[in-house]
Amino acid sequence: MAGVSLQCGDCGTLLKSVEEAQEHAELTKHTNFSESTEPVLNLVCTSCGKPCRSKTESNLHTKRTGHAEFVDKTSEATAPISLEAPKVSDDVAMGEAGDSSSSGQQEEMVVPEVDQKLLEELEAMGFPKGRATRALHYSGNASLEAAVNWVVEHENDPDIDEMPLVPASAKKSEASKPSLTPEEIKKKQQELRERARKKKEEEEKIKEREREKERIRVGRELLEAKRIEEENERKRLLLLRKAEKEEERKALEKVRQKMEEDKAERRRKLGLPPEDPSTTVKRSAPVVEEKKSSLPVRPATKAEQMRECLRSLKQNHKDDDAKVKTAFNTLLTFAKNVATNPNEEKFRKIRLTNAAFQDRVGKLKGGIEFLELCGFEKLDGGEFLFLPREKVDIAVLNTAGSELNSAINNPFFGVL
């Protein structure tokens, strides 16, 4: 069977003539063509007369217009293809005669009329003329937006850049719709710009929310890292202090051993027998008692008692530095308020059952004892701590403040 069409070897498109093959090559840069015995389909819509060259094109036409009935006129238009390109110098009359002779075989196909203003706008946007004409034709010349949407939906079609053709008889029925006025074009353009602006604003809002979430997450991670670093630093200081105490103990033990060795060496040089440890203890005990009985014992001062009370409080709660620091600051506030306003009874009376007082001072061993050293006394069966006005001693309160400041500001207080 003779060839009835030309097939593009690059994309598989079937073409009716050499002219179509040349136009296809100019649009797509495809150069591999061969004869084919498969005819180009000619499915004509019974509703509007639009020809469709493939099943895909007819399906798209049905989807857009709802027209589902087509007449297959492929056999009527099928004829052996001529591989000779028409000469430019052919006489017009010869062309007309050829047209009249071939009109009995197939209907003349022409380029559909489209809105020239919309076509110029699409070409200005960078679309090829064939693609722009096809988009306007199949979108019904409705608007620039409809044409662009059609291009987006069909950008993967193999014949997207081919110039559309319609039967000459259907050209009038396929005439383009009246073109839009300049005011309508401006309105459409403004709507497109407004829609793009709103879309951009929505995207910016979404990005801003994501950035805010990221900032919150990073902030939490930084706080957690800081807390872990502070906890590790606290543990490191405790281990360091423990190691220092152990070194000090070992140093004292070495000094004691050295003294024992020197003492033994002196006895050996003097010719004395080695000292019996049990005898040394029994003999030295009365001497120590005699020394103790002969020396006066100095009573602990108020400041020493307060310092020992605070040291005991910290030692009893050494695993919770925050609670110890809160207790010290609360005791300092009590002492400062009484020293500053000794005539105000509200500063000299503390309810022991108060939940805040119990949480900060009352439950900690040594807290109430420190207040008693400042002069406070228990009243009403132990319900209140009260400091009588006549027993307010500013010097004692100042001493308490000094000891508390030292305990708060000295990181090694109560450790050694």
Side-chain angles (χ1 to χ4, degrees):
M1 180 178 178
V4 294
S5 64
L6 289 176
Q7 185 175 21
C8 178
D10 296 317
C11 63
T13 304
L14 294 175
L15 305 164
K16 290 182 178 182
S17 62
V18 175
E19 293 90 334
E20 287 189 9
Q22 290 175 345
E23 185 178 356
H24 180 77
E26 291 175 359
L27 293 173
T28 62
K29 306 303 181 182
H30 296 168
T31 58
N32 183 16
F33 297 94
S34 60
E35 284 188 84
S36 174
T37 57
E38 182 181 355
V40 178
L41 291 180
N42 185 22
L43 304 176
V44 180
C45 178
T46 58
S47 300
C48 63
K50 181 184 182 307
C52 298
R53 299 164 64 99
S54 64
K55 288 290 185 181
T56 302
E57 190 172 339
S58 63
N59 292 336
L60 291 174
H61 181 72
T62 302
K63 184 178 179 182
R64 286 193 298 270
T65 63
H67 302 166
E69 295 185 5
F70 295 87
V71 177
D72 190 354
K73 296 185 178 182
T74 305
S75 59
E76 298 178 6
T78 302
I81 191 169
S82 175
L83 299 181
E84 294 183 2
K87 297 180 180 179
V88 179
S89 60
D90 284 346
D91 191 84
V92 177
M94 292 293 293
E96 292 176 352
D99 291 342
S100 60
S101 62
S102 61
S103 59
Q105 297 180 357
Q106 64 178 5
E107 192 174 1
E108 182 181 3
M109 306 295 288
V110 295
V111 177
E113 293 183 1
V114 294
D115 191 313
Q116 293 301 316
K117 292 183 179 179
L118 297 179
L119 180 62
E120 291 175 1
E121 291 183 16
L122 287 173
E123 288 181 336
M125 294 170 66
F127 294 108
K129 185 174 182 179
R131 183 180 301 194
T133 304
R134 183 177 289 270
L136 288 172
H137 172 65
Y138 290 129
S139 63
N141 290 282
S143 64
L144 182 65
E145 181 182 2
V148 173
N149 291 337
W150 188 92
V151 171
V152 173
E153 293 176 1
H154 299 82
E155 61 181 352
N156 294 325
D157 291 355
D159 57 349
I160 184 67
D161 290 322
E162 294 182 14
M163 187 67 71
L165 298 175
V166 297
S169 60
K171 187 173 183 180
K172 294 182 180 181
S173 63
E174 291 286 324
S176 62
K177 295 182 180 179
S179 60
L180 298 176
T181 63
E183 291 76 10
E184 291 175 337
I185 293 176
K186 290 182 179 179
K187 185 178 179 181
K188 289 288 184 181
Q189 292 175 346
Q190 181 65 26
E191 290 177 357
L192 290 174
R193 285 193 292 267
E194 185 67 20
R195 191 176 302 173
R197 184 185 64 80
K198 289 182 179 180
K199 184 177 180 182
K200 185 176 181 180
E201 289 179 355
E202 289 295 328
E203 292 176 353
E204 286 296 327
K205 289 180 181 179
I206 294 174
K207 290 180 181 179
E208 182 61 28
R209 286 196 292 268
E210 293 297 327
R211 287 193 291 265
E212 183 64 23
K213 290 180 181 178
E214 183 66 15
R215 284 195 293 268
I216 294 174
R217 184 187 66 80
V218 172
R220 288 177 179 173
E221 290 181 355
L222 289 176
L223 289 176
E224 181 64 17
K226 184 177 180 181
R227 185 191 66 79
I228 294 174
E229 183 180 359
E230 291 176 350
E231 180 68 17
N232 292 336
E233 181 65 16
R234 187 181 67 82
K235 292 180 180 179
R236 188 186 68 81
L237 289 175
L238 290 176
L239 292 175
L240 181 61
R241 293 168 192 166
K242 185 176 180 181
E244 290 175 351
K245 290 180 68 176
E246 182 65 20
E247 288 294 328
E248 184 179 357
R249 186 190 64 78
K250 290 180 180 180
L252 292 175
E253 181 66 21
K254 288 181 179 179
V255 170
R256 188 188 64 78
Q257 291 179 359
K258 181 64 175 174
M259 292 176 63
E260 291 292 336
E261 292 174 358
D262 292 344
K263 185 176 180 181
E265 181 64 19
R266 287 195 299 271
R267 292 182 65 85
R268 186 183 64 78
K269 289 180 178 180
L270 294 172
L272 298 175
E275 186 177 13
D276 187 0
S278 59
T279 308
T280 303
V281 174
K282 292 180 181 179
R283 186 169 57 250
S284 61
V287 176
V288 173
E289 285 294 327
E290 184 177 355
K291 286 184 179 180
K292 284 186 178 181
S293 61
S294 62
L295 294 176
V297 178
R298 181 179 64 83
T301 63
K302 183 74 72 171
E304 291 174 341
Q305 293 177 6
M306 291 180 176
R307 191 180 307 118
E308 184 60 30
C309 184
L310 296 176
R311 185 181 292 110
S312 174
L313 189 151
K314 185 166 185 178
Q315 287 291 335
N316 291 330
H317 305 281
K318 59 184 178 180
D319 294 332
D320 196 342
D321 289 345
K323 182 172 289 188
V324 172
K325 190 173 182 180
T326 301
F328 286 172
N329 285 316
T330 304
L331 293 173
L332 181 60
T333 301
F334 286 146
K336 183 178 179 181
N337 287 340
V338 176
T340 307
N341 305 283
N343 295 323
E344 292 287 342
E345 182 178 345
K346 64 180 181 180
F347 294 134
R348 294 184 283 107
K349 190 173 184 179
I350 304 172
R351 184 185 293 274
L352 293 176
T353 56
N354 182 275
F357 174 79
Q358 283 293 326
D359 185 59
R360 296 182 179 184
V361 176
K363 292 182 180 179
L364 277 68
K365 185 177 180 181
I368 296 178
E369 289 81 354
F370 185 86
L371 291 173
E372 289 177 342
L373 289 173
C374 293
F376 283 87
E377 302 172 353
K378 290 184 179 180
L379 295 179
D380 298 339
E383 184 178 357
F384 292 96
L385 277 177
F386 183 70
L387 177 57
R389 176 65 184 86
E390 63 275 7
K391 292 187 178 181
V392 174
D393 191 337
I394 300 299
V396 172
L397 294 174
N398 289 336
T399 301
S402 300
E403 294 299 329
L404 284 167
N405 280 322
S406 176
I408 293 171
N409 297 320
N410 184 5
F412 301 102
F413 179 81
V415 177
L416 301 177

